[in-house]
Amino acid sequence: MARRMILDCDPGHDDAIAMLYALAQRDWQVDGFTIVAGNSVLNNTVRAAGQVLTVAGRSDVEVHAGMGQPLVRPLITAAHVHGESGLEGPELPEPAVPPAEGHAVDWLVSTLTAARDRGEKIEVAATGPLTNVAMAFRRDPSLTEAIDRVVVMGGAIAEGNSTPAAEFNILVDPEAATIVFEADVEVTMIGLDVTHSAIFPAARFQEFRDLATPVGRMTADLLDYFLGFHRRQYGFDGVPIHDACAVAALHDPRLVQTRHLRVDVETSSRFCDGRTVVDLWEVTGRPPNVHVAVSLDVETFFERLVAAIASYPEGG
Ligand code: RIB
Ligand code: CA
C-alpha cells in the first residue's frame, strides 16, 4: 500500500515549494491539497495552488478550497512577505484546472472517514493556519483514527515572527491550533527555531535556474522574491523554506530531532496571543501533547530539496 498524504496549506512561496517537494516523492500518493486563507485571502491561495500545479504538470492532483476566515478572529494576511497575490515574483499561468467542487473541510471529513472505515492511515502536513484541520476535527474527532501523524509548520520554542511572541500560522488562528494540539493524534511541530536554522543560501538559487525547466525557473523566481523580505527583515542572505521543512519531516522523521513536550497556545493576551507556550523544562506537570522539533539535518534536507525540484521534467 503506497503511503498517502494530504497537504493543507496557504500558498505562499514556501508552501508552493512544499507542494513540489511532496509531489516529487515517489513513495507518496498526494491525495489532495486543501487550501486555507493565510498568506493571502482564500481566492488567492487557491489560485496560487492551481498555478503551481499547472507549472508542475500535476493538475491531476485536486485543490480543495477551505476556510476563508479563522474560527473566531478576523483574518490577517502577509502581503508584506508574499505580495498581494500571495505568490508574487514568478510570471505564472492561470490554473489549468479549477479547484474541486465543494468545501475542503467536507473533503477532509469524507476522505478521512473512508480511510478510517478501511483501516487505512493518511499522513497530514499543515503549513498554514490550522483552521481547516481544526474544523475537520470538530466535525468528527474520530477522524484522527485515520491519521498516521500531523506535522505542523508553526509556532516556536523561543521566537516570534509576526509579533515578538507569535509565529504567523498560529497567530492567524490560535483557537484552531489549540484544537489540533489537543486532538488525539500524534502532532509534530516544526517551528521557527528549526526553520530559521535552515536558511537556503541565495548563492544556491542559481542551481534551480540552471535546471532550465519550468519548475526550476519558478522555484528560483519564488526564492528571489521571498529573499527580499528576509533581507529587509532579518538581514538573511538566503531564505527559510519553512513549509518544505515540515513536509520533508513528515516524509522522513529522521530529518528532525524532537522532544515530546507540553505545548499550549495563548489566546487571551495583550502582547502574546498566538504564542506556542512550550514547556521546555517540563515545569507545568501538564502531559506532553506535541513532538517539538529542536533540530533539523539541514544538509540532507537541502540535498533532498534540490533533488525534488530537479525531478520535474523539461516540459513541466
Ligand atoms: O511563519 C511562517 C509560516 O507562515 C509559513 O508557513 C508561511 O508560508 C506562512 O504561512
Ligand atoms: Ca504557509
Side-chain angles (χ1 to χ4, degrees):
M1 173 74 192
R3 292 170 64 181
R4 296 171 61 186
M5 76 88 71
I6 292 170
L7 173 54
D8 185 81
C9 55
D10 63 333
H13 292 67
D14 49 335
D15 303 79
I17 296 170
M19 291 173 67
L20 295 168
Y21 190 104
L23 289 167
Q25 308 312 313
R26 295 183 184 285
D27 62 340
W28 247 357
Q29 171 192 300
V30 179
D31 279 25
F33 297 101
T34 51
I35 310 302
V36 67
N39 283 322
S40 190
V41 296
L42 185 66
N43 282 348
N44 287 345
T45 54
V46 169
R47 174 173 175 259
Q51 290 177 303
V52 170
L53 294 178
T54 301
V55 173
R58 291 305 310 272
S59 296
D60 58 298
V61 183
E62 287 186 335
V63 170
H64 298 270
M67 299 297 287
Q69 296 292 334
L71 296 183
V72 294
R73 296 165 187 253
L75 177 64
I76 55 174
T77 55
H80 63 295
V81 182
H82 299 275
E84 278 308 317
S85 72
L87 212 59
E88 292 300 333
E91 284 295 314
L92 298 175
E94 285 306 307
V97 173
E101 291 293 315
H103 196 286
V105 174
D106 293 333
W107 180 81
L108 279 170
V109 171
S110 60
T111 302
L112 292 169
T113 299
R116 181 199 60 199
D117 294 351
R118 288 198 298 262
E120 295 171 3
K121 294 275 190 182
I122 301 177
E123 300 162 75
V124 175
T127 64
L130 291 166
T131 319
N132 286 340
V133 179
M135 284 288 286
F137 288 1
R138 270 284 187 272
R139 285 270 295 276
D140 182 351
S142 75
L143 293 178
T144 57
E145 294 169 25
I147 297 177
D148 181 64
R149 63 199 192 101
V150 180
V151 174
V152 169
M153 191 283 135
I157 298 169
E159 293 191 47
N161 57 6
S162 295
T163 73
E167 177 279 326
F168 179 79
N169 287 335
I170 309 299
L171 177 67
V172 171
D173 201 339
E175 288 78 14
T178 299
I179 290 168
V180 174
F181 285 177
E182 293 185 358
D184 182 17
V185 66
E186 182 185 323
V187 176
T188 297
M189 184 181 101
I190 308 293
L192 296 174
D193 325 90
V194 163
T195 65
H196 278 179
S197 76
I199 303 300
F200 193 84
R204 294 193 62 182
F205 293 4
Q206 188 62 35
E207 292 175 39
F208 297 120
R209 209 170 289 286
D210 289 345
L211 293 171
T213 62
V215 168
R217 279 190 293 275
M218 173 172 67
T219 301
D221 290 344
L222 286 168
L223 293 174
D224 280 342
Y225 184 89
F226 207 30
L227 178 63
F229 167 74
H230 288 92
R231 275 193 167 141
R232 291 189 302 275
Q233 177 71 42
Y234 299 104
F236 289 166
D237 193 24
V239 295
I241 311 177
H242 306 281
D243 298 335
C245 294
V247 167
L250 177 65
H251 184 253
D252 184 355
R254 296 169 302 177
L255 283 177
V256 290
Q257 280 195 315
T258 62
R259 287 185 57 194
H260 198 203
L261 297 168
R262 180 73 201 178
V263 180
D264 292 293
V265 180
E266 182 58 72
T267 57
S268 58
S269 162
R270 184 175 168 206
F271 298 114
C272 296
D273 263 9
R275 175 108 191 130
T276 47
V277 182
V278 179
D279 185 4
L280 191 61
W281 302 114
E282 301 173 287
V283 296
T284 64
R286 289 164 64 83
N289 57 329
V290 177
H291 297 273
V292 179
V294 294
S295 69
L296 167 74
D297 177 350
V298 176
E299 189 180 339
T300 305
F301 167 56
F302 283 174
E303 275 170 25
R304 291 182 185 175
L305 174 67
V306 172
I309 301 301
S311 72
Y312 288 84
E314 295 288 319

